[in-house]
Amino acid sequence: MHKVAIDPQAAQALAEAVGEALFARDPASKALGMHIAEMRPGYARMTMTIRPDMLNGHQSCHGGFIFTLADSAFAFACNSHNLNTVGAACTIDYLAPGRLGDVLTAEAVEQVQAGRSGVYDVTIRNQEDRIIALFRGKSHRVGGEVLSSSGNLV
């Protein structure tokens, strides 16, 4: 079996187009104020600012919001190759609190792709580069593409 060489510029352009298309139809990430900072094949970096309505009773960011940021970055990285991919399992370790006004950055990195399965690590940091949480996600490709060969949503 021979692997087909992929033009790095074309792969980058495709990852960016997929990111734009997915974000355009992702009301959950947009409602939480997330933004895509960078897309590459097998990689996504997203940001989110902690708002007052994201705080829990301890006045720190509710873990569910941190998880959602990590999960969104995971989803964008998984789909960056333009193959429809969903999460199959994930874990998160919370290491430090997020505080009101913190700008969290989730960096999702593809570790391995084996057949229809993949493993991605996501590191969530605040604006001071302090690690807030570590997330590991397992992905599963479900068939089809995010964008058609003409660049339209499928």
Side-chain angles (χ1 to χ4, degrees):
M1 177 184 208
H2 299 291
K3 285 201 166 200
V4 177
I6 298 173
D7 173 23
Q9 289 178 321
Q12 177 62 33
L14 181 60
E16 290 174 4
V18 167
E20 284 180 31
L22 283 177
F23 194 73
R25 60 183 184 187
D26 183 352
S29 295
K30 288 191 277 191
L32 292 176
M34 292 181 200
H35 300 280
I36 298 172
E38 184 178 1
M39 285 288 302
R40 297 192 309 249
Y43 176 92
R45 188 165 40 92
M46 297 184 75
T47 62
M48 179 183 77
T49 301
I50 299 174
R51 306 181 312 222
D53 62 336
M54 296 174 170
L55 299 179
N56 61 25
H58 297 290
Q59 296 302 290
S60 61
C61 186
H62 189 291
F65 292 110
I66 296 169
F67 180 94
T68 303
L69 173 62
D71 190 47
S72 289
F74 166 53
F76 280 83
C78 289
N79 284 278
S80 64
H81 301 291
N82 196 36
L83 298 170
N84 287 328
T85 306
V86 297
C90 56
T91 60
I92 191 165
D93 293 298
Y94 300 101
L95 305 171
R99 300 290 183 198
L100 178 64
D102 280 355
V103 178
L104 301 183
T105 299
E107 183 177 43
V109 180
E110 183 178 274
Q111 298 302 315
V112 67
Q113 194 59 242
R116 292 166 92 58
S117 298
V119 175
Y120 293 76
D121 287 331
V122 184
T123 303
I124 302 92
R125 290 182 164 85
N126 69 8
Q127 69 280 359
E128 297 166 353
D129 207 33
R130 183 175 187 188
I131 296 177
I132 302 299
L134 297 171
F135 172 108
R136 173 160 274 193
K138 296 177 185 175
S139 67
H140 181 74
R141 290 192 174 152
V142 293
E145 297 178 326
V146 177
L147 297 174
S148 69
S149 57
S150 65
N152 296 319
L153 291 175
V154 178

